[in-house]
Amino acid sequence: MSEIARPSSNNSYAGLQHKMKALALALETASDALSKIRLDMKDHAALATATATELGEADGDGKYVDLTDRVATLLGEAATQVRRTQSAADDGAAAARAVAGAHRAKYGALDEIRTSRTTKTPKPGFFA
């Protein structure tokens, strides 16, 4: 992901297409990792709930039953927040793909013309 964060002066058509593709891929990778984290948190929350229940049934100290139950609650809440972050990563990946598509629709034909021509292109502003 650090490659995406590095600024680049390559703002050519292909450079921008590459940046959007890399951004979308990084966000999808992050979303997949967040999904695994969320599932692990939910599993740990369920285990903490079961542990609190068993501890209570074994007449364990109420303080530890309450603390273990609180851990389960906090893990469940954290899993919910991870899901929100995962959703934001999914939205970001979709937006990056949409930007790349809009950019391709608007400038793709122009890039094709410019890259296939054998003569030198005048500098911007020459025709102004």
Side-chain angles (χ1 to χ4, degrees):
M1 190 114 118
S2 62
E3 175 186 332
I4 294 166
R6 278 191 225 129
S8 167
S9 61
N10 182 9
N11 291 325
S12 66
Y13 172 81
L16 288 173
Q17 286 291 314
H18 174 74
K19 287 177 187 178
M20 289 297 104
K21 181 179 178 182
L23 177 60
L25 181 61
L27 288 169
E28 288 169 353
T29 301
S31 177
D32 292 344
L34 287 167
S35 177
K36 182 179 180 337
I37 290 168
R38 183 177 60 84
L39 293 175
D40 286 347
M41 283 182 157
K42 287 177 73 175
D43 289 345
H44 288 106
L47 180 60
T49 299
T51 301
T53 301
E54 290 174 8
L55 187 59
E57 290 172 357
D59 290 328
D61 189 338
K63 173 177 135 179
Y64 297 112
V65 174
D66 291 342
L67 287 173
T68 306
D69 192 48
R70 184 70 180 140
V71 166
T73 301
L74 292 173
L75 280 169
E77 291 172 3
T80 299
Q81 295 306 315
V82 169
R83 176 64 189 117
R84 291 179 67 198
T85 305
Q86 179 187 1
S87 179
D90 290 337
D91 292 348
R97 294 204 186 284
V99 166
H103 182 253
R104 189 182 317 77
K106 188 166 185 172
Y107 297 109
L110 177 62
D111 181 66
E112 179 66 33
I113 291 168
R114 291 187 75 189
T115 56
S116 64
R117 121 173 33 155
T118 57
T119 57
K120 192 173 179 180
T121 304
K123 291 182 180 181
F126 173 76
F127 296 110

